[in-house]
Amino acid sequence: MTDRQPPTPNRGARTRLRLAPPRLPRADEAVRAGTEPRPEGAVDILFVNPPAPDRSIWIRSQHRVGRRSREGMIWPQVSLAQMAALFPDYRVDVIDAIPHRMAWDTFERLLRERRPRYYVTQVTAPTLQNDMYGVFLARSLGAITIAFGTHVTPMPQATMEAYPALDFVLRGEPELTLRELVDTLERKRDTAPGQTPQSQGWWPAVEPQFRERLRRLFVEADPGWRPAWLNLEPASGRTAACCHLSLIKGLVWRHNGEIVINPDRPFIRSLDDLPLPRHDLLPLDKYRAPLVGGPYAFVVTSRGCPGGCRFCIKHVLYGDTVRFRSPEDVLAEVEQLVCLGVRDIHMYADLFTLNRDHVMGVCREILARGLSVRWTCNSRVDFVDQEMLRAMARAGCWMISWGVESGDAEMLRRMHKGTTTDQVEWALRSAKQAGIMNWGYFIIGLPGETEESIRRTIDFAKRLPLDLALFHIAAPHPGTPFFFEVLENGWFRPGTRWEDVDMDRSTVLDYPHLRAEELEKWARRAFREWALRPAPIRTYLKMLLGGPSLWRPTLKIGLESLGWAQG
């Protein structure tokens, strides 16, 4: 203790109220100026299939709904490879996180290394919030964020409102909308003061042959089309966004705090005009399918299906539109894959056998070129005949996936399937006679389902010559007739979130006569009764003995499937 006075008076004794105008510091420009330049591996456009919520295998596709892959099938990201092929004048890359079982911290590190200016991502309903975490990360690094897929096409406004880090949505067929969007934003960025976009031409940085390909794609689909960037008028009093983004068909964007949904983009008229997908950007050696031990790829042969199945996602994207690639164009892609070391291929289509002449043409081309490839496809039972099945087998087809759906005649009628159980039996037995294996898909829980109809489906499945079978739980995906029927009748389970719309393990349906728990119990029982029989067990053992590369995934699939089936 001391009685000495401080060397200076207490300044607090003189403090009085003082109210000055705020002068808050701004460090943005200083930080931006000192930021490291974009890394050497930076790209202009990054196409992404983001990590799964639980690092397991999930299926995302431009043409399909999202779901967990209980069968262990890792779907090649041909949709991303196709979009990447439309940008030869940009630096592009693909990150497919699913086959790598990639964790989010690894993904974030890759994202920082690539540092894209445009981030283009798959989005599905059961992984929606998870997928948007990738959008948030990319936006925080300065990327323009873009989403596409069968969830955001029917739900663009709700998605954009819920996730402010998402800049754009591509509705419907995404390829041309994305090309026009990127070109327009880049032209706006690069147009010097006093310069008019018209003076730069349509695609000045693209080599002439590809420039003509782009012109055909846009103009043949939409004869009155004119590049949106040619409407950039710096001197105009209208905002730049209002001037040009509003002209890009198929685009959903933000303007003055509002979500703007532009008119739909017409479908691509000739699929042959699309460049061959950039399969070289994909981890081909990581993709897997049952009974396939090596590199694996998808080849899209057509788009669209005329079927009327009320549950099908085709109602969201293509409607009744049907377009085919020529057999020659399909085989050019197959040959490209063979050069990349791929000889196991899935002919990926809404309905591969839709046009008999097309199928026979593909088979003839494979045989004429002497290509040693093994391939699979899907089909409806009313779009095959014995001669065509034999031709497919000779050309290398070894398995067909069939949408059987149900063994109950009334259920088939209610879902607008347009097939009968007699047709199913005939088609699958004809395929077997031709030497082709059968994979059957069934749906438990569509409107009108009863315990008796499910019992008939299980008995029917056990009677069919099936090598593999999957029993999905009905999932009302937004935009399908099934979705609107569920909504109108109040059959959604209380508290349903989009992440719950998973056709693999659980259901969001609660019918008065068949509760959600009962549907899940019946789906597990259906698989258990079908799988625990001699013939399916032999198929599983064949998968297990197919080679060292199949041992681990086959064991994992078997254990997971049995665990799910036991509940």
Side-chain angles (χ1 to χ4, degrees):
M1 297 288 293
T2 177
D3 294 330
R4 294 178 59 190
Q5 293 294 321
T8 58
N10 182 348
R11 295 179 63 189
R14 299 195 304 270
T15 302
R16 297 291 182 268
L17 176 66
R18 181 172 63 179
L19 190 61
R23 294 196 180 105
L24 305 178
R26 285 288 304 273
D28 289 338
E29 292 302 324
V31 170
R32 196 173 294 124
T35 301
E36 293 182 5
R38 297 179 75 228
E40 187 175 334
V43 297
D44 297 318
I45 311 172
L46 187 63
F47 298 92
V48 172
N49 186 27
D54 49 8
R55 294 183 64 179
S56 61
I57 301 171
W58 284 77
I59 291 171
R60 298 186 186 95
S61 169
Q62 171 183 329
H63 313 276
R64 292 287 186 275
V65 298
R67 66 175 178 88
R68 190 188 302 271
S69 179
R70 193 194 324 148
E71 70 274 29
M73 187 172 178
I74 305 177
W75 282 35
Q77 286 297 308
V78 66
S79 302
L80 301 181
Q82 181 64 82
M83 284 193 281
L86 278 167
F87 293 89
D89 47 333
Y90 291 86
R91 292 168 298 175
V92 301
D93 200 2
V94 172
I95 294 180
D96 188 356
I98 296 299
H100 297 285
R101 306 290 185 98
M102 192 179 293
W104 274 108
D105 57 348
T106 303
F107 180 82
E108 183 174 356
R109 176 178 56 78
L110 286 175
L111 196 58
R112 291 182 181 278
E113 290 174 1
R114 300 294 190 276
R115 201 67 177 270
R117 293 192 295 115
Y118 298 93
Y119 176 93
V120 183
T121 182
Q122 296 263 24
V123 173
T124 68
T127 60
L128 180 61
Q129 186 169 316
N130 170 87
D131 300 347
M132 288 301 165
Y133 181 60
V135 168
F136 168 78
L137 289 176
R139 195 74 181 85
S140 71
L141 293 172
I144 292 171
T145 55
I146 305 166
F148 72 98
T150 52
H151 181 75
V152 295
T153 286
M155 299 284 295
Q157 183 150 345
T159 306
M160 294 277 279
E161 287 174 348
Y163 298 98
L166 180 61
D167 294 314
F168 297 101
V169 161
L170 312 174
R171 295 187 70 233
E173 232 168 20
E175 291 94 350
L176 299 189
T177 303
L178 179 63
R179 178 76 216 202
E180 188 171 9
L181 171 63
V182 171
D183 283 337
T184 301
L185 294 177
E186 289 296 295
R187 200 65 63 92
K188 174 179 176 287
R189 187 175 72 104
D190 295 341
T191 300
Q195 186 181 31
T196 62
Q198 290 89 335
S199 65
Q200 301 177 27
W202 283 22
W203 295 283
V206 178
E207 58 93 15
Q209 188 175 359
F210 199 89
R211 190 183 310 150
E212 174 57 23
R213 180 192 293 271
L214 287 174
R215 189 199 66 78
R216 283 199 312 272
L217 281 165
F218 280 100
V219 174
E220 291 186 9
D222 188 2
W225 179 81
R226 184 171 180 266
W229 62 84
L230 297 187
N231 292 276
L232 287 171
E233 298 292 344
S236 172
R238 303 171 67 197
T239 65
C242 192
C243 275
H244 58 277
L245 293 182
S246 62
L247 302 175
I248 302 176
K249 293 180 179 178
L251 185 68
V252 184
W253 52 292
R254 303 178 188 275
H255 179 58
N256 290 340
E258 300 292 327
I259 309 299
V260 182
I261 302 175
N262 290 353
D264 295 341
R265 180 175 292 276
F267 292 119
I268 294 169
R269 188 172 183 83
S270 172
L271 298 181
D272 280 8
D273 284 336
L274 285 168
L276 296 183
R278 290 286 308 275
H279 289 285
D280 58 295
L281 297 176
L282 302 179
L284 297 171
D285 61 327
K286 299 291 185 183
Y287 295 128
R288 289 289 179 269
L291 299 169
V292 174
Y296 177 65
F298 279 6
V299 172
V300 177
T301 59
S302 62
R303 292 182 180 181
C305 173
C309 308
R310 293 177 58 78
F311 57 85
C312 186
I313 202 68
K314 77 110 185 183
H315 295 281
V316 169
L317 203 56
Y318 300 132
D320 294 325
T321 300
V322 175
R323 293 151 297 156
F324 307 94
R325 294 171 64 188
S326 68
E328 293 77 14
D329 196 51
V330 171
L331 265 295
E333 186 174 347
V334 172
E335 288 182 326
Q336 178 197 68
L337 286 166
V338 169
C339 291
L340 292 170
V342 178
R343 292 188 178 273
D344 280 290
I345 292 167
H346 178 65
M347 301 296 186
Y348 183 44
D350 296 285
L351 176 55
F352 174 70
T353 58
L354 178 57
N355 181 286
R356 189 182 193 276
D357 290 342
H358 181 261
V359 174
M360 297 297 279
V362 168
C363 294
R364 280 194 300 270
E365 287 291 325
I366 291 174
L367 295 170
R369 301 181 191 210
L371 292 174
S372 177
V373 292
R374 299 172 73 244
W375 54 278
T376 60
C377 67
N378 68 352
S379 180
R380 284 174 56 105
V381 298
D382 52 344
F383 278 81
V384 293
D385 58 61
Q386 290 179 331
E387 181 188 8
M388 188 174 82
L389 288 168
R390 288 193 294 269
M392 291 166 64
R394 285 195 300 272
C397 178
W398 63 275
M399 184 161 65
I400 297 176
S401 300
W402 307 91
V404 180
E405 321 310 359
S406 177
D408 183 84
E410 176 60 17
M411 286 300 300
L412 291 172
R413 185 193 68 79
R414 282 201 61 166
M415 69 180 74
H416 295 188
K417 184 67 182 179
T419 59
T420 66
T421 54
D422 288 343
Q423 288 174 308
V424 172
E425 293 201 55
W426 181 90
L428 271 63
R429 296 193 189 284
S430 296
K432 271 290 184 185
Q433 291 170 7
I436 298 173
M437 298 176 70
N438 292 314
W439 187 343
Y441 284 82
F442 299 85
I443 300 177
I444 304 295
L446 287 167
E449 192 83 272
T450 63
E451 292 190 353
E452 292 74 22
S453 65
I454 297 173
R455 183 72 260 170
R456 280 190 282 273
T457 294
I458 296 172
D459 293 340
F460 185 57
K462 291 158 68 174
R463 192 166 72 240
L464 292 172
L466 288 169
D467 299 282
L468 296 170
L470 271 181
F471 294 84
H472 288 304
I473 306 173
H477 291 282
T480 62
F482 174 34
F483 169 81
F484 291 113
E485 184 178 0
V486 170
L487 204 61
E488 289 166 8
N489 287 278
W491 291 333
F492 271 114
R493 196 174 191 174
T496 292
R497 299 165 60 245
W498 292 124
E499 286 78 5
D500 301 324
V501 185
D502 177 10
M503 62 197 292
D504 181 65
R505 300 199 175 200
S506 60
T507 183
V508 297
L509 297 170
D510 231 351
Y511 298 116
H513 64 288
L514 207 55
R515 315 305 291 187
E517 293 80 8
E518 294 170 300
L519 287 173
E520 293 169 10
K521 178 196 74 174
W522 274 107
R524 289 194 294 269
R525 180 175 178 176
F527 178 74
R528 189 168 62 243
E529 285 197 30
W530 180 86
L532 298 180
R533 298 179 303 122
I537 290 173
R538 282 196 298 272
T539 300
Y540 179 76
L541 291 174
K542 184 177 179 181
M543 291 170 60
L544 193 60
L545 299 174
S549 64
L550 289 175
W551 292 345
R552 185 175 177 181
T554 301
L555 280 172
K556 185 176 177 62
I557 294 165
L559 291 172
E560 286 183 354
S561 297
L562 282 176
W564 173 79
Q566 295 298 330

